[in-house]
């Protein structure tokens, strides 16, 4: 076998064919690498790999057409038949020689992520999975081309047949869509010959073991078929009992039947076992929160997808498969808008996007628009919107919780004091938590409703009245929960005495003035734009010491702990911070004489245990006094929960808001909110000079050197 391998490899490099194959492949790869990765700063090779895979349709037939057909035409195959080498070793030797050329290209591809890593962050898992897919796709095409070459003695016919076959396997996905947009038995059988769709699974950040098995099956059966073709000719040179053409046709049908059977079986393997998520963000894997909820699900839920199954969003489709496998109560149903354009109007009168989801149970339903499944941000450098995160699991788990809950929690937002309205992104957080947030005017209603999960006071500009403050205090004495976001630069103690009465209930005091940070590592551009330390607490557990909170123009909070009051700091500054009290006389951002020295606390959680007469309402209700508590989340920055601040830190502020809400709903025990899975910053920054240097090397210099080498060797051999 080694002798055959060396002979075939020499034949490729003693003619321009092998050199030309390498040169063309590397040149095309270099063009996309230069344009997508170097110039555009994309740290993932998947797009480049996807773009160059079509080259196999044209280069592989030229490489494989002579492998067996030439031997047969020149009668040198008879020398092989009489040699002591087995036919299997002959075929494998020839195949390994082809595979070596492909391996050279893939080795160069494997070096590219390492090169990119010198200029930024690279998605190594996704890139190398894409390269593996490229190698398997190319190896399958070469094996199939080798088999086709053994069916004829004409190199031209072998090349044309190979090109036609590769084109069919490349277009099979589109052909199946034309036959039926919803799928049927015929399309299911034809999809077995769909090379390109299986190759694409490697480009999405998943290592699909079924696709690996598929390509290995193609390789094995193609090589086995090539061996059988040669064996038949070897032992029937003097026999005409069965024509070679009939034998080849029958053998091809058998190979196709085996291929169909094996891959239909592989398709039945659960997605969670056969598809490995190699993305850094684990986009496809379900979190433990979702798995626990699905394991306890007792009610049947149907998820309608407004799209044909073969046209659905790949990422969303993978997520849906994992939900269906995790619970037998989940059923996925695809509703093609072309075949049934009015289906969604049973659930909503609004216009919704293709690929949107409708989650339905016996109790209620929830519509998830496709664009809500992705978090987007606006890039002011390119004036375009891009996807910064994937929220498919978060939206689906939230929807499942919503449609199966017996009762929906209700919270109230205090009004009547020029409070700030929550912006859309934070309203979406509340919606995702399956919480109803209603407005409450204590001038119209004398007390806080009993079904209140928590009361929300969001940046009041005017003080509460004495009666309103007393109503809030009465709610807190009964075990109430309060979230308060304070206005910046306001002296709460003097300007809002009734609001201060509520804070006094928790022994909380807010120091007037603005905090400035002296440590440049803890502010952004301006010392007043704090990036505070995130302390360990229930509301910050998801991102403790791993993400930033953006908190501009904050004030200092102090809480005096007693036997019945316990407090935990959420956000705090460094000891280098200082507080300027008289803002009107402030002349500089630098620390001046009279400024208070840090560290300061800018957000706290306070818990008060209710005992004795203070808990009379609880005692009347038969609740043990020592187990009842009231809670306060206090944030001393009016810009903290705004969309502009949240975008500065890729959604961490909204995550803090979400966690705060969840900790107050049913004690946090029923929390099912899944944070957005932010896309990793797979970006590289390459100077124009380096783009030209490395791009020119891969696009021009290496391909040109390979082409010239092949030409020189060919000319020398012709002279010989």
């Amino acid at each position: 076998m080694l002798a055959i391998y060396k002979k075939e490899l020499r034949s490729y490099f003693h003619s321009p064919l092998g050199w030309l194959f390498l040169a063309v492949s590397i040149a095309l790869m270099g063009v996309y690498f230069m344009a997508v990765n170097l110039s555009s700063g994309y740290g993932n090779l998947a797009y480049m790999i996807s773009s160059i895979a079509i080259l196999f349709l044209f280069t592989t037939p030229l490489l494989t057409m002579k492998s067996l057909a030439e031997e047969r035409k020149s009668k040198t195959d008879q020398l092989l038949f009489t040699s002591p080498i087995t036919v299997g070793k002959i075929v494998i030797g020839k195949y390994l020689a082809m595979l070596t050329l492909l391996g050279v290209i893939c080795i160069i591809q494997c070096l590219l992520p390492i090169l990119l890593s010198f200029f930024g962050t690279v998605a190594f898992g996704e890139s190398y999975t894409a390269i593996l897919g490229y190698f398997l796709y190319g190896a399958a095409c070469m094996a199939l081309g080798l088999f086709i070459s053994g069916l004829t003695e004409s190199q031209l016919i072998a090349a044309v047949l190979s090109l036609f076959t590769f084109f069919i396997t490349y277009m099979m996905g589109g052909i199946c869509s034309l036959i039926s947009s919803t799928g049927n038995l015929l399309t299911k059988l034809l999809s077995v010959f769909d090379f390109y769709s299986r190759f694409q699974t490697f480009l999405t950040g998943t290592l699909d073991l079924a696709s690996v098995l598929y390509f290995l099956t193609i390789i094995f059966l193609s090589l086995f078929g090539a061996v059988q073709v040669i064996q038949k000719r070897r032992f029937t040179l003097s026999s005409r009992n069965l024509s070679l053409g009939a034998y080849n046709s029958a053998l091809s049908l058998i190979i196709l039947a085996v291929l169909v059977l094996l891959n239909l079986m592989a398709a039945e393997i659960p997605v969670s076992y056969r598809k490995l998520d190699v993305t850094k963000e684990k986009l496809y894997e379900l979190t433990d929160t979702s798995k626990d909820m699905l394991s306890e699900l007792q009610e049947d839920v149907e998820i309608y997808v407004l799209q044909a199954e073969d046209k659905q969003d790949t990422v969303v489709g993978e997520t849906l498969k994992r939900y269906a496998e995790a619970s037998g109560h989940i059923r996925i149903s695809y509703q093609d808008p072309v075949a049934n354009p009015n289906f969604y109007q049973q659930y909503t009168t609004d216009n919704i996007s293709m690929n949107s989801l409708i989650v339905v149970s016996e109790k209620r339903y929830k519509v998830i628009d496709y664009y809500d499944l992705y978090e987007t941000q606006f890039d002011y450098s390119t004036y375009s919107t891009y996807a910064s995160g994937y929220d498919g699991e978060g939206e689906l788990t939230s929807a499942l919780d919503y449609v199966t809950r017996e009762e929906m929690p209700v919270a109230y937002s205090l009004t009547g004091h020029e409070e700030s309205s929550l912006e859309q992104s934070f309203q979406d957080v509340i919606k995702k938590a399956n919480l109803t947030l209603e407005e409450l005017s204590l001038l119209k209603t004398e007390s806080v409703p009993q079904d209140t999960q928590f009361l929300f006071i969001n940046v009041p500009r005017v003080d509460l009245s004495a009666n309103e403050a007393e109503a809030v205090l009465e709610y807190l004495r009964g075990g109430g929960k309060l979230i308060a976001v304070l206005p910046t630069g306001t002296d709460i103690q003097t300007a809002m005495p009734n609001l201060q009465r509520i804070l006094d209930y928790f022994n909380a005091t807010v120091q007037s003035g603005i905090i400035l940070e002296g440590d440049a590592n803890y502010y952004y551009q301006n010392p007043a734009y704090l990036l505070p330390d995130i302390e360990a607490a229930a509301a910050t557990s998801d991102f403790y010491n791993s993400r930033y909170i953006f908190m501009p123009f904050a004030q200092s909070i102090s809480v005096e702990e007693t036997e019945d009051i316990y407090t935990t700091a959420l956000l705090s500054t460094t000891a280098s911070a200082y507080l300027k009290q008289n803002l009107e006389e402030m002349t500089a951002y630098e620390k001046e004489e009279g400024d208070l020295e840090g560290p300061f606390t800018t957000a706290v959680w306070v818990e008060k245990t209710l005992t004795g007469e203070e808990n009379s309402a609880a005692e009347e209700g038969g609740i043990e006094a020592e187990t009842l508590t009231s809670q306060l989340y206090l944030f001393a920055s009016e810009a903290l929960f705004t969309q502009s601040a949240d975008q500065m830190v890729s959604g961490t502020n909204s995550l803090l808001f979400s966690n705060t809400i969840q900790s107050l709903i049913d004690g946090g025990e029923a929390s099912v909110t899944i944070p957005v899975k932010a896309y990793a910053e797979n970006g590289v920054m390459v100077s124009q000079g380096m783009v030209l240097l490395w791009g020119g090397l891969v696009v021009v210099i290496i391909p040109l050197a390979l082409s010239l080498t092949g030409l020189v060797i060919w000319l020398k051999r012709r002279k010989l």
Side-chain angles (χ1 to χ4, degrees), residues 386-554:
Y386 66 96
S388 59
Y390 175 60
D391 198 23
E393 183 186 357
E395 290 288 347
L396 277 167
T397 297
S398 174
L400 290 171
D401 178 60
Y402 173 79
V403 301
T404 56
R405 273 182 180 257
E406 294 296 332
E407 296 181 359
M408 304 306 300
V410 180
Y412 291 90
S413 178
L414 197 62
T415 61
H417 315 92
E418 299 181 14
E419 289 88 353
S420 296
S421 298
L422 278 176
E423 296 179 359
Q424 186 60 49
S425 61
F426 289 89
Q427 292 182 28
D428 292 341
V429 169
I430 292 174
K431 180 181 177 182
K432 186 177 176 181
N434 295 326
L435 175 72
T436 301
L437 184 64
E438 299 182 357
E439 293 185 348
L440 174 66
S441 173
L442 290 176
L443 295 176
K444 300 178 181 179
T445 305
E446 295 182 356
S447 62
V448 179
Q450 293 183 353
D451 63 346
T452 304
Q453 290 286 328
F454 62 83
L455 184 64
F456 184 36
I457 302 177
N458 189 35
V459 194
R461 302 293 180 183
V462 179
D463 193 19
L464 283 68
S465 68
N467 290 337
E468 289 176 306
E470 185 58 35
V472 174
L473 289 169
E474 187 65 25
Y475 163 69
L476 294 173
R477 294 187 189 108
K481 306 163 190 176
L482 174 64
I483 300 176
V485 183
L486 301 181
T488 297
T490 301
D491 187 346
I492 303 296
Q493 299 178 61
T494 58
M496 296 184 173
N498 290 317
L499 178 58
Q500 183 60 49
R501 284 180 57 198
I502 299 172
L503 300 183
D504 288 340
Y505 179 76
F506 293 98
N507 289 350
T509 303
V510 180
Q511 180 69 53
S512 63
I514 298 297
I515 298 173
L516 301 177
E517 180 58 71
D519 189 336
N521 294 317
Y522 291 87
Y523 69 81
Y524 175 73
Q525 293 184 345
N526 187 314
Y529 294 166
L530 304 184
L531 300 173
D533 267 329
I534 303 173
E535 307 293 346
T540 58
S541 59
D542 290 342
F543 45 87
Y544 175 54
N545 281 343
S546 62
R547 300 178 72 173
Y548 290 109
I549 290 286
F550 183 58
M551 195 175 198
F553 303 112

